[in-house]
């Protein structure tokens, strides 16, 4: 297995994610400069769906736009 070169922030960060007016709570994990894993409980989007993520960094809200690259239910 190839070792990832990018630094990663491994501590969970609370967030909300969704599209249009439908948002759900989740947690960001394994955060890097090129992506993050969203641990979702309620809403899983299909691959290639555009999503908006809102999280807080140093008590300031940060809004991100992204695309679902993969998903998994377990």
């Amino acid at each position: 297995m190839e070792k990832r070169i990018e630094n990663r922030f491994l501590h969970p960060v609370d967030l909300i994610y969704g599209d249009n007016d439908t948002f759900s709570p989740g947690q960001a994990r394994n955060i890097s400069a090129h992506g993050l894993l969203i641990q979702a409980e309620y809403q899983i989007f299909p691959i290639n769906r555009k999503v908006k993520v809102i999280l807080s960094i140093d008590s300031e809200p940060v809004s991100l736009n992204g695309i679902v690259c993969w998903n998994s239910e377990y």
Side-chain angles (χ1 to χ4, degrees):
M1 180 182 280
E2 180 180 323
K3 185 170 177 141
R4 296 178 179 166
I5 297 171
E6 292 182 330
N7 290 331
R8 295 177 181 274
F9 183 76
L10 300 176
H11 301 287
V13 175
D14 291 330
L15 55 77
I16 58 171
Y17 66 97
D19 62 353
N20 299 324
D21 295 327
T22 305
F23 285 86
S24 298
Q27 283 192 330
R29 297 177 179 274
N30 200 10
I31 302 168
S32 75
H34 290 98
L36 55 86
L37 167 73
I38 295 177
Q39 183 175 347
E41 290 186 35
Y42 304 109
Q43 188 171 356
I44 298 176
F45 289 106
I47 294 171
N48 293 322
R49 171 73 65 89
K50 292 181 182 180
V51 294
K52 184 172 187 175
V53 177
I54 302 171
L55 52 88
S56 184
I57 297 177
D58 294 331
S59 300
E60 292 293 323
V62 176
S63 178
L64 308 168
N65 292 312
I67 297 176
V68 177
C69 293
W70 63 272
N71 60 28
S72 174
E73 283 188 56
Y74 57 88

